């Protein structure tokens, strides 16, 4: 029988709220007999080690946690600070490389978010670039010209992908096999670029959403070699929601245990606090309806509200404005290949910590 870990889960959800940590609540939880190996495992698994260290240091509570727990988080934090600096160098290199690219693009996720967090709290293992499907070859040709090859890192070495693997990825997924080049930066031996041309699990878009996202892009990512294009602020948050929803609700991602990650909700938590004013919420609601992605955005935004206990009038209004009539999808997982729908009974804040999510799914009939 699984041991009750609710107080550990509550501590994790408190210690990642870096914008407004509740010191009294953290002190109360630390006064209890916490399972530190459990805490450390989940914090690292969810890529929240640097955030947890930052919060404990910010609140003056580092001295109240287990020494090995504290030292491990400090190591992660220092590593992330170095990696964040290397990412800025890599982004500058990419800005120079794409300065005259004859096709529109937008860098996604961590490329922009790294600069919005306090330094070192958000890193990225790669750079995601969104292009229209018919223009993938233009970007890939530029990457190959600059020394990138398609492949994977295995045993700390770059292994080129086979032609069959490259073709299969473009035909069956919404992205290419990663483009990789050695760069030898601190905490970044290789730079990986993922070329995306879809925003859901399908290899071919059934709507014009990618084109519309790219048409509205803005040069928001600053680098030493000029600015990179990313999605405009409303679309950027929408894309984060789409990406989170895709991975959280697809059966293959649940099987890989990569479906639920707190760092993805933390990204949305940051943007809600930085951007969610009345005018932004109204614009966001209009754009979400225009793209027809109410379900995806409601899932991600409401999940973030629950996990981070956000009480913000503008967010409440937005969720009311985009809430679908039927919310049964909120605890569903889809298997598109087998045309099956599964569901689970756990409360959401427990589901994200469940280590046996596949075993807890039941097929809808």
């Amino acid at each position: 029988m699984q041991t009750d870990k609710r107080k550990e889960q509550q501590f994790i959800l408190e210690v990642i709220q870096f914008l407004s940590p509740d010191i009294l609540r953290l002190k109360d939880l630390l006064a209890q007999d916490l399972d530190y190996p459990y805490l450390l495992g989940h914090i690292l698994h969810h890529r929240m080690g640097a955030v947890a260290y930052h919060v404990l240091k910010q609140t003056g509570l580092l001295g109240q946690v287990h020494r090995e727990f504290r030292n491990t988080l400090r190591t992660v934090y220092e590593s992330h600070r170095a990696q964040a600096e290397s990412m800025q160098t890599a982004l500058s290199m990419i800005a120079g490389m794409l300065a005259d690219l004859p096709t529109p693009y937008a860098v996604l996720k961590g490329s922009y978010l790294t600069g919005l967090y306090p330094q070192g709290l958000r890193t990225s293992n790669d750079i995601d670039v969104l292009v229209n499907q018919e223009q993938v070859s233009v970007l890939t040709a530029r990457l190959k010209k600059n020394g990138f090859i398609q492949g994977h890192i295995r045993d700390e070495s770059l292994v080129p992908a086979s032609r069959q693997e490259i073709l299969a990825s473009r035909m069956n997924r919404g992205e290419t096999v990663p483009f990789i080049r050695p760069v030898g930066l601190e905490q970044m031996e290789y730079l990986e670029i993922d070329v995306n041309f879809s925003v859901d699990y399908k290899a071919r878009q059934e709507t014009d959403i990618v084109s519309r996202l790219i048409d509205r892009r803005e040069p928001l990512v600053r680098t030493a070699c000029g600015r990179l294009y990313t999605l405009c602020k409303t679309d950027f948050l929408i894309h984060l929601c789409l990406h989170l929803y895709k991975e959280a609700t697809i059966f293959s991602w649940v099987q890989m245990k990569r479906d639920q990650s707190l760092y993805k909700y933390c990204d949305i938590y940051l943007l809600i606090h930085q951007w969610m004013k009345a005018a932004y919420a109204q614009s966001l609601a209009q754009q979400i309806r225009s793209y027809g992605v109410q379900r995806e955005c409601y899932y991600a935004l409401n999940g973030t509200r629950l996990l981070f206990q956000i009480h913000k009038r503008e967010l409440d209004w937005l969720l009311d404005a985009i809430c679908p009539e039927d919310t049964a999808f909120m605890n569903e997982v889809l298997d598109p290949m087998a045309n099956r729908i599964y569901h689970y009974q756990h409360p959401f804040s427990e589901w994200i910590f469940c280590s046996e999510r596949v075993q807890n799914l039941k097929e809808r009939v």
Side-chain angles (χ1 to χ4, degrees):
M1 184 174 68
Q2 187 174 359
T3 307
D4 186 354
K5 296 296 183 183
R6 278 178 289 186
K7 64 180 184 295
E8 283 81 8
Q9 294 167 8
Q10 290 168 11
F11 176 80
I12 292 169
L13 294 177
E14 291 291 343
V15 82
I16 63 176
Q17 299 202 38
F18 68 95
L19 293 173
S20 55
D22 186 335
I23 300 176
L24 294 178
R25 180 64 177 143
L26 286 169
K27 283 183 177 179
D28 178 61
L29 288 164
L30 286 172
Q32 303 179 46
D33 185 22
L34 296 175
D35 183 343
Y36 279 98
Y38 178 91
L39 290 178
L40 188 60
H42 272 284
I43 287 172
L44 297 183
H45 174 74
H46 287 279
R47 292 170 58 176
M48 298 304 294
V51 171
Y53 180 81
H54 172 84
V55 169
L56 291 171
K57 184 176 181 180
Q58 182 184 32
T59 56
L61 297 175
L62 276 174
Q64 297 188 30
V65 300
H66 190 280
R67 184 182 66 177
E68 299 306 325
F69 177 79
R70 176 176 65 246
N71 290 344
T72 301
L73 294 186
R74 180 188 294 116
T75 299
V76 171
Y77 174 72
E78 292 172 350
S79 172
H80 279 202
R81 283 180 65 89
Q83 189 177 358
E85 292 180 3
S86 293
M87 176 55 72
Q88 288 304 311
T89 301
L91 288 171
S92 295
M93 182 180 74
I94 298 302
M97 186 188 311
L98 301 183
D100 61 345
L101 188 73
T103 190
Y105 71 88
V107 296
L108 306 170
K109 300 184 296 183
S111 299
Y112 186 31
L113 288 165
T114 301
L116 299 181
Y117 277 83
Q119 186 179 14
L121 298 202
R122 177 63 156 86
T123 61
S124 182
N125 298 321
D126 52 37
I127 295 175
D128 290 275
V129 186
L130 182 68
V131 292
N132 284 303
Q133 188 166 13
E134 64 272 16
Q135 296 166 330
V136 169
S137 59
V138 177
L139 176 57
T140 59
R142 178 63 58 91
L143 294 174
K144 290 177 181 178
K145 181 180 178 181
N146 284 271
F148 286 85
I149 65 172
Q150 288 184 270
H152 304 279
I153 303 299
R154 297 190 176 124
D155 296 326
E156 300 184 2
S157 298
L158 174 54
V159 179
S162 67
R163 177 170 175 77
Q164 181 179 3
E165 187 178 6
I166 291 171
L167 291 174
S169 183
R170 287 192 61 168
M171 292 293 294
N172 302 317
R173 302 172 61 193
E175 61 186 21
T176 65
V177 171
F179 286 82
I180 304 174
R181 192 182 101 176
V183 289
L185 298 171
E186 188 174 3
Q187 300 296 325
M188 187 185 288
E189 183 64 27
Y190 296 93
L191 174 59
E192 177 179 322
I193 297 179
D194 294 331
V195 179
N196 296 258
F197 48 87
S198 175
V199 294
D200 57 22
Y201 61 86
K202 301 172 184 176
R204 293 188 179 276
Q205 284 292 300
E206 296 175 354
T207 69
D208 61 351
I209 187 170
V210 171
S211 297
R212 294 173 65 188
L213 289 170
I214 292 175
D215 285 348
R216 288 160 46 84
R217 72 198 188 285
E218 295 179 5
L220 300 177
V221 182
R222 299 182 181 184
T223 80
C225 296
R227 296 194 176 209
L228 285 163
Y229 282 95
T230 187
L231 304 179
C232 69
K233 287 186 175 181
T234 51
D235 290 353
F236 191 90
L237 181 51
I238 289 171
H239 177 265
L240 286 183
C241 293
L242 295 177
H243 184 75
L244 185 154
Y245 179 81
K246 175 185 74 172
E247 296 183 352
T249 62
I250 297 300
F251 185 71
S252 59
W253 284 88
V254 182
Q255 287 181 306
M256 293 185 290
K257 296 189 175 182
R258 294 177 59 194
D259 53 313
Q260 296 285 1
S261 294
L262 281 172
Y263 82 92
K264 297 171 188 172
Y265 293 95
C266 193
D267 290 342
I268 296 173
Y269 158 74
L270 171 68
L271 299 188
I272 287 172
H273 280 277
Q274 287 195 353
W275 295 349
M276 193 67 72
K277 304 295 187 287
Y280 179 82
Q282 293 169 9
S283 177
L284 192 59
Q286 178 182 356
Q287 209 58 37
I288 288 169
R289 288 192 291 259
S290 173
Y291 293 142
V293 291
Q294 293 94 319
R295 172 182 293 206
E296 295 88 339
C297 291
Y298 186 86
Y299 179 96
L301 291 166
N302 191 58
T304 304
R305 175 172 64 170
L306 293 172
L307 293 172
F308 287 85
Q309 305 161 54
I310 300 172
H311 305 287
K312 197 174 180 67
R313 183 175 63 255
E314 294 86 354
L315 177 60
D316 293 342
W317 177 88
L318 173 64
L319 287 169
D320 286 343
I322 66 170
C323 182
E325 291 185 10
D326 183 0
T327 58
F329 68 92
M330 292 295 289
N331 68 338
E332 289 182 345
V333 170
L334 313 177
D335 185 353
M337 299 298 292
N339 195 28
R340 291 176 175 172
I341 301 176
Y342 300 91
H343 69 100
Y344 55 88
Q345 300 293 337
H346 295 62
F348 182 68
S349 58
E350 294 179 15
W351 179 249
I352 200 165
F353 291 110
C354 179
S355 60
E356 298 178 341
R357 288 193 284 272
V358 169
Q359 292 87 334
N360 282 279
L361 291 174
K362 299 185 183 300
E363 187 172 0
R364 287 204 190 279
V365 293

